[in-house]
């Protein structure tokens, strides 16, 4: 497979190259070696390069006396996270934009670093008046509005813990997380705009509050300007964000906390129905996010970054904590990137002079279906230097479309894979270095990654090249969790129970003969057909190369002969009747299409046409829900689902098939 090198930026002009030069590393390989063999030196250099200001210097970078699952980072160090994120830039560049917000309807707001600093200090005073202090939990149920960053900073000042919740959750999902965390305060918006329609959040927030006895306060951000009329009978107080700030003076002075003070509980959906509350710390999460932005994304002070995401997903807090620690300008977008037309996302780049844009492969595939209408107009991307991508595997055609037709081979696509529990990325591409379509150049320095077989033996270092195995991490890192909230046993079982002292991430991966890495999908999604292991992404990537297919998902279905058979589900560019002769002919053609690419032994048993596939708001297709519906299994946690009608479409498809049989 060919490698590609974008015309800009040159590696010699990147922040990673300057890091190598400043700390005396010959190249990226030498830096990787240092991180593996001298982790204390490496992480000390990282925090120094990010300019962390310590109110009390740590005495040891890492203490592993409790084992690799429970490291203590920056032992006895203390820092003022608010000062590191905002205060220092507010003192040197007070008018630099910290946050730029654009609503679904095109409205705009902007906060400078000085204004963000002032607002966070005022909110910290207001939260203190509500009784919020160190260790208390604050639930954030907000759309992509500037108040999200203000709340993160104010909570950090107080030593409180924020649990960001997906803005599309219903009351039950919010209530379950409130109960699990014991949150005392829920900060919500009265609503938001989506595709030109108002979405009511306040009613859902009140329903959730009514189900959660520990909750004492509901604080409402007036996004839509709704008049507050609190319920007559409730066990919580309800107040307006604007009123709370108006009555609060800015909290003075520093706000120092130990480096390992809990900062966030990031909930990630579980297949059993119970979400996992991943605990991140004051030093760990911001450092890891900012390190990845410096080394992989070449994000520098005053650069402008927009990522299409939600504050309830890891990339939302990652954007805020990492971006502010880098001194960048964050652009928050409330709407959907293809509304009211496919060029909306490119208009955002042009209007806000973005240097960095993060988007999902699913969004790229969606824009591709618009043809020329999905391409930017001349000059719209002149400011852009970097594309970012995470959350799901790429397919060749969308990758080439973005790199060549959209970006003109000028902007690299920084493919980025890690997760909520990682606090950032494991694998990435690097600005200014060659990359392969759909792949990763290398692990991010400090992530001591490997690919192992079922016995835990390396398939990479000295092993056969290009063989698929489990992605693991052989050493801890600062952005790792302090466990799951009040569930240490589940944390150990999830990541540390397979091989002694090794983090098993749950992804299949491989390293090709040139040293480039590829993710092959979740290891629990892997199909084993007639004794041959194959990832669902292999089917999906091949299917979307067919001109009739828009999107695809593959799952394994029990089979008496092969043990497991592949069933694929597709949405079509131009839907046709499922029972029609045209569809039967197309299904035969698609099966032959796959057999030609994967081999006859791996040809799927059936291909099913559906009107839509289940996905999250940021575009990630929920393969496990497809499998659960098709095999009539428990759905698990459905709170992240953006389009419930997709489950009905799958059920209807299954029922029709059963009736025909």
């Amino acid at each position: 497979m060919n490698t590609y090198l974008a015309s800009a930026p040159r590696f010699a002009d990147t922040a990673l190259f300057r890091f190598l030069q400043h700390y005396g590393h010959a190249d990226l390989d030498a830096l990787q070696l240092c991180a593996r063999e001298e982790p204390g030196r490496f992480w000390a250099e990282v925090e120094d390069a990010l300019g962390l200001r310590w109110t009390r210097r740590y005495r040891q970078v890492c203490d592993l006396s409790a084992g690799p699952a429970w490291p203590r980072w920056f032992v006895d160090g203390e820092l003022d996270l608010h000062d590191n994120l905002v205060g220092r830039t507010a003192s040197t560049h007070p008018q630099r934009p910290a946050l730029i917000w654009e609503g679904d309807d095109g409205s705009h707001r902007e906060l400078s670093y000085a204004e963000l600093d002032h607002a966070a200090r005022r909110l910290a005073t207001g939260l203190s008046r509500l009784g919020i202090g160190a260790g208390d939990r604050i639930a954030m149920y907000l759309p992509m509005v500037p108040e999200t960053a203000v709340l993160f900073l104010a909570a950090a000042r107080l030593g409180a813990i924020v649990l960001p919740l997906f803005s599309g959750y219903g009351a039950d999902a919010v209530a379950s997380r409130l109960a699990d965390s014991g949150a005392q305060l829920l900060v919500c918006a009265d609503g938001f705009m989506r595709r030109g329609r108002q979405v009511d959040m306040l009613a859902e927030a009140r329903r959730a509050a009514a189900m959660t006895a520990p909750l004492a306060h509901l604080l409402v951000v007036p996004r839509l300007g709704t008049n507050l009329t609190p319920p007559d009978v409730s066990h919580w107080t309800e107040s307006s964000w604007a009123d709370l700030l108006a009555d609060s003076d800015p909290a003075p002075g520093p706000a120092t906390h130990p480096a390992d003070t809990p900062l966030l509980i990031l909930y990630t959906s579980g297949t059993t129905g119970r979400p996992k509350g991943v605990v991140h710390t004051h030093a760990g999460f911001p450092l890891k996010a900012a390190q990845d932005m410096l080394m992989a994304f070449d994000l520098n002070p005053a650069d402008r970054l927009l990522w299409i995401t939600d504050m309830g997903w890891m990339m939302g807090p990652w954007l805020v904590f990492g971006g502010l620690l880098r001194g960048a300008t964050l652009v928050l977008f409330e709407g959907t990137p293809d509304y009211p037309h496919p060029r909306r996302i490119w208009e955002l780049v042009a209007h806000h002079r973005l240097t960095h844009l993060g988007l999902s492969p699913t969004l790229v595939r969606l824009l591709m279906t618009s043809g020329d209408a999905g391409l930017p107009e001349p000059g719209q991307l002149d400011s852009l230097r970097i594309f970012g991508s995470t959350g799901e595997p790429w397919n060749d055609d969308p990758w080439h479309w973005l790199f060549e037709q959209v970006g003109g081979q000028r902007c690299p696509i920084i493919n980025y894979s890690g997760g909520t529990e990682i606090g950032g990325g494991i694998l990435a591409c690097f600005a200014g270095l060659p990359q392969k379509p759909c792949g990763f150049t290398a692990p991010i320095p400090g992530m001591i990654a490997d690919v192992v077989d079922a016995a835990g033996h390396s398939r990479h270092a000295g092993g056969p090249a290009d063989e698929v195995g489990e992605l693991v991490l052989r050493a801890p890192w600062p952005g790792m969790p302090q466990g799951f909230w009040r569930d240490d046993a589940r944390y150990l079982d999830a990541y540390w129970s397979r091989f002694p002292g090794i983090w098993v991430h749950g992804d299949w991966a491989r390293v090709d003969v040139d040293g480039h890495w590829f993710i092959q999908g979740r290891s629990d999604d892997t199909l084993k057909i007639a004794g041959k292991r194959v990832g669902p992404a292999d089917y999906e990537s091949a299917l979307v190369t067919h001109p009739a297919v828009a999107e695809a998902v593959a799952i394994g279905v029990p089979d008496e002969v092969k043990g497991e058979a592949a069933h694929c589900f597709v949405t079509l560019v131009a839907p046709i009747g499922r029972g029609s002769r045209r569809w039967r002919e197309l299904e035969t053609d698609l099966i032959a299409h796959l057999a030609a690419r994967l081999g006859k032994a791996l040809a799927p048993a059936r291909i099913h046409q559906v009107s839509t596939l289940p996905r999250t708001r940021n575009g990630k297709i929920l393969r496990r829900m497809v499998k659960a519906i098709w095999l009539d299994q428990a759905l698990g946690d459905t709170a992240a689902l953006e389009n419930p009608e997709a489950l009905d479409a799958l059920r209807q498809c299954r029922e029709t098939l059963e009736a025909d049989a």
Side-chain angles (χ1 to χ4, degrees):
M1 183 186 295
N2 293 332
T3 58
Y4 291 78
L5 182 62
S7 59
R10 298 185 312 138
F11 185 63
D13 295 329
T14 64
L16 176 56
F17 181 82
R18 293 191 294 272
F19 182 100
L20 297 175
Q21 295 288 102
H22 182 78
Y23 294 103
H25 302 284
D27 52 26
L28 183 58
D29 288 340
L31 183 62
Q32 302 275 18
L33 182 65
C34 173
R36 185 167 59 250
E37 297 188 351
E38 301 178 79
R41 171 193 168 185
F42 171 79
W43 290 113
E45 290 175 352
V46 169
E47 65 87 3
D48 180 68
L50 295 174
L52 283 183
R53 302 203 295 200
W54 299 91
T55 53
R56 185 169 77 177
R57 184 77 180 172
Y58 54 88
R59 61 176 176 83
Q60 183 180 355
V61 172
C62 185
D63 176 4
L64 290 175
S65 58
W70 304 108
R72 293 180 62 208
W73 287 96
F74 307 111
V75 180
D76 293 337
E78 295 184 354
L79 74 166
D80 179 346
L81 184 56
H82 171 267
D83 175 64
N84 276 279
L85 295 175
V86 175
R88 61 180 183 177
T89 305
S91 64
T92 56
H93 299 87
Q95 300 310 311
R96 177 183 295 169
L99 300 171
I100 297 173
W101 172 81
E102 181 169 324
D104 182 78
D105 57 0
S107 54
H108 292 82
R109 289 170 58 197
E110 184 172 315
L111 286 177
S112 68
Y113 268 87
E115 290 169 332
L116 180 57
D117 175 67
H118 186 72
R121 289 177 181 274
R122 290 175 66 187
L123 182 60
T125 299
L127 296 179
S128 295
R129 286 172 37 223
L130 294 178
I132 301 298
D136 289 336
R137 275 78 65 205
I138 302 171
M140 173 194 289
Y141 183 43
L142 292 172
M144 296 292 283
V145 289
E147 285 81 2
T148 55
V150 178
L151 180 57
F152 279 136
L153 293 164
R157 287 191 61 84
L158 298 173
I161 307 169
V162 177
L163 45 138
L165 304 177
F166 172 47
S167 62
Y169 280 158
D172 289 345
V174 173
S176 69
R177 288 154 178 80
L178 294 176
D180 185 73
S181 65
Q184 293 93 330
L185 170 65
L186 172 59
V187 182
C188 72
D190 55 1
F192 59 92
M193 300 292 297
R194 185 164 177 80
R195 292 190 173 274
R197 300 187 302 272
Q198 292 190 358
V199 179
D200 182 6
M201 296 185 78
L202 185 53
E204 294 299 311
R206 286 173 174 163
R207 285 182 56 217
M211 292 185 269
T212 314
L215 192 77
H217 306 286
L218 185 63
L219 183 61
V220 184
V221 174
R223 162 67 183 100
L224 300 178
T226 305
N227 290 324
L228 293 183
T229 53
D232 294 334
V233 179
S234 64
H235 60 260
W236 69 90
T237 64
E238 193 166 308
S239 53
S240 163
W241 173 287
D243 292 343
L244 186 68
L245 261 66
D247 296 337
S248 302
D249 293 326
T256 295
H257 300 282
D260 58 358
T261 299
L263 174 69
L264 299 168
I265 302 174
L266 297 181
Y267 279 99
T268 180
S269 297
T271 57
T272 63
R274 183 186 170 201
K276 300 174 292 187
V278 180
V279 181
H280 287 293
T281 66
H282 270 234
F285 186 85
L287 181 145
K288 171 60 175 165
Q291 178 215 359
D292 292 1
M293 290 181 178
L294 182 155
M295 291 187 172
F297 291 92
D298 192 38
L299 185 77
N300 296 298
D303 280 347
R304 295 189 169 205
L305 168 63
L306 165 67
W307 205 285
I308 302 298
T309 186
D310 187 275
M311 281 300 157
W313 310 137
M314 189 273 291
M315 294 304 293
W318 178 91
L319 174 72
V320 172
F321 286 101
L324 292 179
L325 189 53
R326 292 296 294 142
T329 295
L330 313 182
V331 179
L332 306 181
F333 178 49
E334 175 189 53
T336 49
D338 63 338
Y339 176 83
H341 50 75
R343 286 199 177 100
R344 177 72 181 272
I345 192 168
W346 314 132
E347 290 178 349
L348 289 167
V349 175
H351 187 265
H352 300 295
R353 304 297 297 165
L354 296 180
T355 57
H356 295 66
L357 173 65
L359 71 178
S360 69
T362 292
L363 174 57
V364 174
R365 288 191 286 267
L366 177 65
L367 295 175
M368 280 181 65
T369 63
S370 301
D372 290 345
L375 292 169
E377 294 179 347
Q380 280 188 319
L381 304 190
D382 284 354
S383 64
L384 196 68
R385 295 203 328 268
I386 303 286
F387 288 115
S389 168
T390 193
E392 59 180 331
W394 277 96
N395 313 113
D396 277 349
D397 287 353
W399 190 96
H400 282 283
W401 183 82
L402 182 65
F403 181 68
E404 295 162 4
Q405 296 193 49
V406 175
Q409 301 188 30
R410 184 176 58 84
C411 302
I413 300 172
I414 305 301
N415 205 10
Y416 184 61
S417 182
T420 301
E421 300 89 335
I422 300 298
I426 298 174
L427 305 175
C429 300
F430 298 88
L433 293 180
Q435 58 185 131
K436 290 189 176 183
C438 313
F440 305 85
T441 305
I444 295 166
M447 305 305 289
I448 312 304
D450 198 0
V451 177
V452 302
D453 62 19
H457 301 137
S458 178
R459 289 191 180 277
H460 173 42
D466 216 17
E467 291 206 18
V468 174
E470 286 272 7
L471 177 64
V472 301
L473 292 165
R474 294 189 175 275
W477 65 100
M480 66 188 290
Q482 272 193 338
F484 295 162
W485 179 253
R486 295 176 176 169
D487 199 347
D488 290 349
R490 190 180 184 195
Y491 165 67
L492 293 173
D493 181 65
Y495 295 106
W496 299 96
S497 60
R498 285 276 302 278
F499 309 118
I502 294 177
W503 172 288
V504 179
H505 191 58
D507 280 341
W508 290 122
R510 64 182 176 88
V511 185
D512 74 6
V513 293
D514 299 317
H516 290 253
W517 293 60
F518 294 84
I519 296 290
Q520 302 297 114
R522 297 296 295 171
S523 55
D524 53 4
D525 285 340
T526 300
L527 291 71
K528 193 170 185 180
I529 298 173
K532 300 177 178 66
R533 191 171 62 193
V534 59
D538 293 315
Y539 289 96
E540 295 156 7
S541 295
L543 277 168
V544 297
T545 64
H546 193 284
V549 176
E551 294 177 312
V553 160
I555 64 169
V557 174
D559 182 87
E560 292 182 359
V561 177
K562 294 185 176 182
E564 192 171 35
H567 281 231
C568 302
F569 300 79
V570 298
T571 64
L572 300 183
V573 175
I576 56 181
R578 274 205 300 261
S580 67
R581 179 179 176 182
R582 286 181 59 209
W583 166 247
R584 292 194 297 271
E585 291 173 348
L586 179 58
E587 182 185 7
T588 300
D589 184 40
L590 292 174
I591 291 174
H593 179 79
L594 286 172
R597 283 157 177 77
L598 302 180
K600 291 183 179 180
L602 297 179
R606 290 296 304 269
I607 296 179
H608 311 282
Q609 181 193 174
V610 291
S611 57
T612 184
L613 292 167
R615 58 167 42 85
T616 63
R617 180 172 294 177
N618 62 344
K620 186 174 182 179
I621 293 175
L622 296 166
R623 187 186 294 114
R624 69 174 177 84
M625 289 192 184
V626 176
K627 187 168 186 175
I629 290 289
W630 202 251
L631 299 183
D632 199 21
Q633 299 171 341
L635 278 173
D637 184 13
T638 62
L641 181 64
E642 164 74 358
N643 54 339
E645 69 275 8
L647 302 185
D648 294 332
L650 285 162
R651 290 189 185 98
Q652 183 182 26
C653 182
R654 188 190 71 193
E655 290 165 1
T656 301
L657 191 70
E658 290 170 349
D660 291 343

